[in-house]
Amino acid sequence: MSDSQGTSTASSDITRRELMQAAAVIGGAVLGEQLVPGAISPALAQAAGAATAPLDVSLRINGTEHRLSLDPRTTLLDALREHLHLTGSKKGCGLGQCGACTVLMDGMRVKACLSLAALAQGRDIKTIEGLAQGEELHPLQASFIERDAFQCGYCTSGQIMAGVACISEGHAGSPQEIREWMSGNLCRCGAYDHIVAAIQDAAAVSSSTQEG
Ligand code: FES
Ligand code: FES
């Protein structure tokens, strides 16, 4: 609504402020390559949707290049699951709180539900589907099976991808250290003791391989 001067009334001012605020948030997301959940109201997201055109994005997933036409707001997790049918990465919370969606980006763990697919272009993305070498499981996959480190399995792919990073970062020196550096990955079944043991085992394999 506008008055005779063409200036906005209180209600449209709020909308404009929301837009400004969202633009700032999206700027932060670009810098941090992470979305800030809940920062944009559904009405605003809808309004933004009307103004967005599909974006051509090329994603390198597990060594294979994929060309996609995506809504610019598509998260990496939705691109993987909904567009590429790589459903190993799970959507638990969609808010960055559970870690079920963890993947590696250039070797670093990221929560795919908070990462924009468009910003993953040119990066090397590894998901649980790309961890084994043919028939040979990654040592951490093998130790998860050996140690019975899951019950329902919903958190497992995220736990394994985070665990791979935890080991390569050098944060698997003790059960306490593993617990601390794996604290972003939740397990509703409470399989934590087994998960920690599996990561310890795989870390030992990795250090003996490096020494050998
Ligand atoms: S689904 Fe990404 S952190 Fe929960
Ligand atoms: S094994 Fe069920 S949530 Fe972790």
Side-chain angles (χ1 to χ4, degrees):
M1 204 184 344
S2 298
D3 63 21
S4 58
Q5 307 300 309
T7 54
S8 303
T9 59
S11 65
S12 56
D13 271 340
I14 290 168
T15 304
R16 197 169 60 230
R17 272 200 298 277
E18 265 191 294
L19 277 166
M20 304 266 297
Q21 195 175 23
V25 169
I26 290 165
V30 170
L31 284 174
E33 300 191 2
Q34 300 271 293
L35 287 167
V36 179
I40 303 174
S41 71
L44 181 57
Q46 225 172 22
T52 52
L55 202 63
D56 288 334
V57 177
S58 181
L59 294 177
R60 190 163 61 253
I61 316 287
N62 301 326
T64 303
E65 209 71 40
H66 299 270
R67 293 185 178 280
L68 298 170
S69 179
L70 297 175
D71 182 312
R73 297 162 299 166
T74 306
T75 64
L76 178 57
L77 182 61
D78 284 343
L80 291 170
R81 291 181 55 85
E82 311 298 333
H83 295 263
L84 296 170
H85 310 295
L86 292 169
T87 54
S89 308
K90 298 290 186 272
K91 187 181 276 186
C93 63
L95 295 169
Q97 292 171 354
C98 73
C101 62
T102 306
V103 299
L104 303 183
M105 189 183 287
D106 294 338
M108 312 281 288
R109 47 182 144 171
V110 297
K111 289 177 176 167
C113 72
L114 295 187
S115 305
L116 285 172
L119 293 174
Q121 184 158 264
R123 317 291 290 274
D124 207 21
I125 311 297
K126 183 162 278 194
T127 69
I128 190 76
E129 289 91 346
L131 209 52
Q133 301 284 320
E135 294 294 301
E136 192 182 338
L137 293 180
H138 184 282
L140 188 54
Q141 289 175 306
S143 59
F144 259 65
I145 294 168
E146 184 67 28
R147 287 287 192 168
D148 242 347
F150 46 84
Q151 289 178 36
C152 77
Y154 200 79
C155 71
T156 307
S157 54
Q159 298 281 2
I160 290 177
M161 298 313 287
V164 168
C166 182
I167 293 168
S168 68
E169 290 160 8
H171 293 137
S174 68
Q176 292 72 18
E177 192 181 17
I178 293 169
R179 280 181 186 278
E180 187 179 340
W181 287 89
M182 289 294 292
S183 61
N185 287 76
L186 307 182
C187 174
R188 288 170 54 142
C189 300
Y192 294 111
D193 288 348
H194 297 243
I195 291 169
V196 169
I199 293 173
Q200 266 195 299
D201 287 355
V205 170
S206 154
S207 71
S208 69
T209 312
Q210 280 163 13
E211 283 163 17

